[in-house]
Every structure is written in structure tokens, then in C-alpha cells.
Amino acid sequence: MLESLKDEIWRANQELAASGLVVGTSGNVSGRDPESGLFVIKPSGVGFAELLPEHMSVVGPDGAQVEGPMKPSVDTLSHAYVYRARADVQGVVHTHSRYATVFAVLGEDVPVLTTTHAALFGAPIPVSNYAVIGEEEIGREIVDNVGDGTAVLIRSHGVFSIGSDWQRALRSAQYVEECAEVAHLARQVREPQSLDPETVAASREWYLHGYGQRAILSGS
């Protein structure tokens, strides 16, 4: 079942580990099959180096496991909640990346300090309320807080990012960490000044419609 998607999501989880955004067994990537509505996610508590494509869990829209030799991620119900609430989302990534998690622990948004942040996110990266792991609560916090953006800091937990595919969700998670690291390091020198709204809007407009080889759709 969904063998091609299993292989993709296995590769996505390998890329997540290679990016340095996770350690041990924490963090995960999932991807949804738009035709069936099923999604594939990393199994719970398995090291990234040990994963094989056939280990991936296939899960239904309600979060119930449909196929797979191992129990799916403890974050499965939260991923399922996001997919049910957001038809445009086909990929979800979760990390505990260090600098972004610092902001999550402090309960602070990551401010817009660079043109990179402005272009990619168009707003501060928001922090949610505290939510219990293993239930739908985190998914609800993601949907309630993400707005037009692609990433949320879950209070005292880590980062969840979304995208129209897993590649975009992973790219979002990578840049969340870069923006958080820059913001944290800048604060060690002095309190930085956020970019003004006009600059943020102009940077975002340029990114959505002028960057790369083709226009990038909002929310990508």
C-alpha cells in the first residue's frame, strides 16, 4: 500500500536527520496521498539510521493505523488533525531544533529580523499554548495559530511546519531554525529591531511572485 509514498517519506525522514534538526528518535515527517486521503508517517521511537521504507506506517484520516509493522509516531493524531482541517496541506514536519525550541520554551514568537524571514514567512513565527503530546491538542494548536504561515512553535515542545508537499514543509522547518538562531544570537549583542511591516510585505511579495524559476504559491 502506497509503496512509492512510503519510499518518499522514508527519504524525507533521512533528510530531516541529515539536516541536524533532530537527534535520537525525536521528530518526524509525514506525507499525505491526496487520492486516498491516507498518510504515511515515521514509526514511534525508531532511530532514523535504522529506518527502512517498509517500516513506515500508513494511517487513515482519523489517525488509525491502516498498515505497517510498527506503531506510528506519537504525533500521529496531531498530523491527522492538521490534514483533516487543511485540505491544502500534504506534508507535515516536526522537529526539536535547538534555537527554535529556545523560543518555544520562552513562549515567544520568532521576530522578523531578516529579509530571509520576511520573504519565507511574512510574519513572526508564532508560539502556541502548551499542548499534551500524543493527542489531537498539538494539531489543534497548529491549525489555530499557523494562519497564512507554514510553521508554529509549540510551547515548551518544538516546531511543526506544514506545506503543500513534504519538501516544502521540510524547507520551512529548516528556515525556522535559521531565523531563530539569528534572532537568538543577535540578542546576545543587543535587542534587535524587527523589520518594518512595509519591508516585510515587499519581501514576501517578491518571494511569492519573483523568486526562483517559477512563481511560488502562497503557503508553499
Side-chain angles (χ1 to χ4, degrees), residues 32 52 141 185:
R32 174 163 59 172
L52 295 173
E141 288 295 327
L185 293 176

Side-chain angles (χ1 to χ4, degrees), residues 20-85:
L21 299 181
V22 296
V23 297
T25 63
S26 64
N28 46 70
V29 181
S30 73
R32 174 163 59 172
D33 173 47
E35 292 187 7
S36 66
L38 302 174
F39 66 94
V40 174
I41 192 168
K42 174 184 176 290
S44 176
V46 180
F48 292 89
E50 303 165 29
L51 286 175
L52 295 173
E54 55 265 33
H55 294 157
M56 297 295 109
S57 298
V58 179
V59 178
D62 60 353
Q65 186 168 4
V66 175
E67 184 184 74
M70 299 180 179
K71 183 174 69 174
S73 167
V74 295
D75 297 308
T76 295
L77 291 178
S78 291
H79 286 241
Y81 185 95
V82 173
Y83 287 132
R84 291 198 306 272

Side-chain angles (χ1 to χ4, degrees), residues 199-216:
T199 299
V200 173
S203 297
R204 183 65 173 160
E205 178 70 15
W206 166 79
Y207 178 72
L208 291 175
H209 302 292
Y211 177 77
Q213 302 305 306
R214 61 181 178 82
I216 297 176

Side-chain angles (χ1 to χ4, degrees), residues 75 77-86 92-94 104 107 109 124-162:
D75 297 308
L77 291 178
S78 291
H79 286 241
Y81 185 95
V82 173
Y83 287 132
R84 291 198 306 272
R86 293 284 299 266
V92 178
V93 172
H94 173 44
D109 299 349
I125 298 161
V127 66
S128 76
N129 297 313
Y130 177 79
V132 176
I133 300 169
E135 302 296 334
E136 292 186 348
E137 277 189 51
I138 287 177
R140 189 175 297 111
E141 288 295 327
I142 296 166
V143 172
D144 288 351
N145 287 279
V146 73
D148 294 330
T150 57
V152 174
L153 309 179
I154 300 297
R155 180 69 184 263
S156 300
H157 187 159
V159 180
F160 278 82
S161 59
I162 60 175

Side-chain angles (χ1 to χ4, degrees), residues 181-202:
E181 181 176 1
V182 169
H184 175 76
L185 293 176
R187 283 180 168 181
Q188 308 315 299
V189 181
R190 61 176 180 273
E191 188 62 31
Q193 183 175 353
S194 296
L195 292 178
D196 63 85
E198 292 77 15
T199 299
V200 173

Side-chain angles (χ1 to χ4, degrees), residues 15 18 24 73 128 159 167 175 177 179 191 193 218:
E15 289 191 28
S73 167
S128 76
V159 180
Q167 292 94 334
Y175 279 108
E177 181 63 2
C179 294
E191 188 62 31
Q193 183 175 353
S218 178

